[in-house]
Amino acid sequence: MTRTGILHIGPAKTGTTSCQEALFANRKMLLERHGVFYPSVARSHNSMLTVMFVEDPRRNIAVKSLGITTHEGAEVLRRRYFGQMEANLARASYDTLVLSSEGLWTMPIDSVRKLRTWLLNFADDWTVLFTSRHPVDYATSNIQQQIRQGHVLEERIARPPMTQFKRRASVYFDVFGQENVKLTAFEEARDEPGGLVAAFCRRLGLPETTAMEVGRSSPVRWDEPGALGSAFRRRLGLPDKSAMGVGLSSPVRNESMSMLATLLVSSLNQQRPRLIGGKLNPERAEDDVRVLRRIKGEKFRLPPEVETKVRRTSRDDVEWLNATYGRQLYLDVFSDHPPSALPEAGAYSPETLQSLSLLLSDLINRQGMSAERLGRRILSSWQARGTNPS
C-alpha cells in the first residue's frame, strides 16, 4: 500500500506551534482512527530536522543553546537526531506521515534535496504545505519574537524580516515539484471553523469531526514555567510535575505584546543583555520577559515608515504569490496610503523606558529569589516527612 507524506515547512509566526502542539497531543487518536502518524520524538520536529540536514548545525539556535561549538560535537548531535527520528518512524505503522518544522522554510536547496531523499524512505508521495501571512503582520510578529529572545527594537526594525514567498517556495518547487507545494493563507485559515489548527487538519485530509475535535484541544506543556518559573524549578532540582504543584502551569501561546511591553523588554535587552557568552545574564531572571509581556496596552505596531518600507519591498513577492497560485492576497501592499501614526510609541522618553525596565527587572529578580526561598522550605518539609516530591 502506498504511504503518503505531508511536510509542513511553516514559516514561523504562521501558527506552526499551535498546530504542532495539537498534533502531538492527539497523536495516538490520529494514528488509531485515521492512520495519520505524527512522530512522538518531539512536539515540534523543527530542531531535529534542521540539525539533521543543514550543512553546519552549529549555526542552529538549538545547537547554540546546548553549548555545542565544535564541528565534532555538532555531528554527534546530528547522528543522535537521525537515530532518534528513524527509530521512532520504524516503530510505527501508518498510512500518512506528518512532519512539521518551520526551520525548513529557510533551508538551502542542497539541504532540501538531501531531506527529500531521506523522506522517500518513509513515504512514497510527498506534499509540502506552507502558509502565507500578510507581510506587515509577518514582520511585526517576527520582530516581537526576536525582542523576546533578547534583541533590541531599533536593530530589528532597521532590517525588518520579509516573507520571501518566491525565494523560499521556489526551492521546494524545484525539489518536490510545484504541483506538490500547497499554499494556505494564514488569515483565511484563522477564520475557518475551529481556527488555525482545525484548518490545518483539513489540509491533512482529516474528516471534519476530527478536525474540529483537534481544533478544540488545548494542550498544556509541562516545560512552560509555572508561577515560580523554570529557573526556580532547576535550582531546587525538582521534577517538572512536582514544581508545577507549587506553581501552576499555563498553555504555551505565542501571544503578541503590547506596545509598552515591547518597548520595555527592548530597553531591558539593551541595558542588560539577555545572554552573555551564550548563557543567561545573571542580572536577568529567566522568566522576566514572560512577566513583562503581561503588561496591557495598545497593540504593538511597526513605526509608520517601517510599515511603508515593508509594504513596498514586498510588492514583487506578493505579486508572484498571487500569480503563481491564482489568488488575490494582500493587495493593500500596493497602496501608497500612509499608515496611521503611533500615539503611544512616543509617549515615553528613552530615559523613562530605561528606568522603568531596570526597576521592573530588579523587582522580578527579587520575587524570584523569594520564590526560591519558599520552594526550599517546601522541599525541606517534604524531605523531613520522607515524602518523595516526584
Side-chain angles (χ1 to χ4, degrees):
M1 181 178 178
T2 299
R3 295 189 295 184
T4 60
I6 297 177
L7 183 66
H8 179 215
I9 62 172
K13 314 313 296 179
T14 59
T16 51
T17 300
S18 296
C19 293
Q20 291 161 355
E21 290 187 350
L23 292 182
F24 183 85
N26 292 278
R27 63 192 184 280
K28 292 182 180 179
M29 177 271 286
L30 293 174
L31 184 59
E32 292 171 359
R33 290 190 198 171
H34 307 290
V36 173
F37 180 51
Y38 185 80
S40 59
V41 67
R43 282 184 174 83
S44 166
H45 310 134
N46 187 37
S47 296
M48 297 192 76
L49 288 177
T50 50
V51 169
M52 286 163 63
F53 292 100
V54 295
E55 181 178 355
D56 187 355
R58 291 175 298 174
R59 299 178 182 178
N60 183 270
I61 188 171
V63 176
K64 291 180 179 179
S65 68
L66 293 173
I68 297 175
T69 58
T70 66
H71 176 75
E72 293 75 14
E75 288 302 318
V76 169
L77 182 64
R78 191 203 299 270
R79 291 194 294 271
R80 182 191 307 163
Y81 281 173
F82 264 111
Q84 291 173 344
M85 180 66 80
E86 291 176 350
N88 195 233
L89 292 170
R91 289 194 296 267
S93 176
Y94 55 85
D95 301 319
T96 301
L97 171 62
V98 180
L99 297 172
S100 179
S101 168
E102 59 270 33
L104 300 181
W105 178 249
T106 58
M107 188 174 282
I109 191 167
D110 289 344
S111 295
V112 175
R113 289 194 180 107
K114 294 177 184 177
L115 169 64
R116 182 178 180 274
T117 299
W118 179 80
L119 290 174
L120 291 174
N121 294 311
F122 307 101
D124 305 294
D125 298 314
W126 281 89
T127 298
V128 178
L129 303 181
F130 80 95
T131 305
S132 65
R133 189 172 182 181
H134 192 291
V136 173
D137 295 336
Y138 177 82
T140 301
S141 185
N142 272 278
I143 287 173
Q144 283 208 34
Q145 178 69 16
Q146 291 166 346
I147 291 171
R148 287 194 290 268
Q149 293 171 345
H151 294 277
V152 176
L153 178 60
E154 289 73 17
E155 297 171 352
R156 297 298 95 190
I157 62 176
R159 296 183 62 185
M162 305 302 296
T163 50
Q164 299 183 321
F165 299 130
K166 180 179 180 179
R167 177 184 178 187
R168 302 304 181 183
S170 294
V171 169
Y172 287 86
F173 286 5
D174 291 344
V175 177
F176 287 86
Q178 181 175 338
E179 70 279 6
N180 297 315
V181 181
K182 309 299 183 183
L183 164 69
T184 296
F186 173 87
E187 296 78 8
E188 295 173 353
R190 180 188 57 199
D191 294 338
E192 286 187 22
L196 281 167
V197 172
F200 182 68
C201 289
R202 295 184 187 99
R203 274 61 171 182
L204 302 182
L206 293 169
E208 183 64 17
T209 53
T210 300
M212 292 299 291
E213 180 181 348
V214 177
R216 287 191 296 267
S217 68
S218 181
V220 174
R221 284 172 47 176
W222 279 111
D223 61 342
E224 172 68 357
L228 300 186
S230 56
F232 155 67
R233 193 167 60 232
R234 285 201 301 272
R235 287 169 183 157
L236 295 183
L238 292 177
D240 287 350
K241 295 185 179 181
S242 300
M244 288 306 169
V246 180
L248 297 178
S249 66
S250 59
V252 170
R253 291 294 179 265
N254 289 323
E255 297 175 352
S256 61
M257 295 188 292
S258 67
M259 177 67 77
L260 178 56
T262 303
L263 295 174
L264 287 171
V265 174
S266 175
S267 178
L268 181 58
N269 291 339
Q270 189 171 40
Q271 297 175 90
R272 293 178 179 172
R274 183 161 182 79
L275 299 177
I276 297 179
K279 298 181 180 180
L280 182 69
N281 185 342
E283 292 187 319
R284 295 283 297 269
E286 184 172 357
D287 297 336
D288 54 11
V289 174
R290 183 180 62 86
V291 175
L292 291 173
R293 67 189 296 179
R294 296 176 183 173
I295 297 174
K296 306 294 184 182
E298 180 184 345
K299 184 179 178 180
F300 171 75
R301 282 176 47 205
L302 299 178
E305 66 277 10
V306 178
E307 181 176 333
T308 298
K309 177 181 179 180
V310 171
R311 290 179 183 274
R312 290 177 176 172
T313 305
S314 65
R315 287 175 180 174
D316 288 346
D317 210 31
V318 170
E319 186 175 22
W320 175 89
L321 185 75
N322 287 329
T324 302
Y325 284 96
R327 303 299 301 275
Q328 293 290 309
L329 299 169
Y330 321 129
L331 297 181
D332 61 301
V333 303
F334 298 100
S335 171
D336 289 322
H337 184 74
S340 58
L342 302 180
E344 188 175 337
Y348 310 97
S349 68
E351 293 77 15
T352 299
L353 292 171
Q354 290 167 6
S355 61
L356 275 175
S357 61
L358 290 180
L359 175 62
L360 290 170
S361 177
D362 290 340
L363 290 173
I364 294 169
N365 291 340
R366 292 176 186 175
Q367 183 184 33
M369 291 304 296
S370 298
E372 181 179 350
R373 285 193 291 270
L374 172 62
R376 291 192 181 280
R377 290 181 183 179
I378 295 173
L379 182 59
S380 298
S381 177
W382 279 333
Q383 293 173 337
R385 291 177 299 181
T387 305
N388 183 355
S390 61

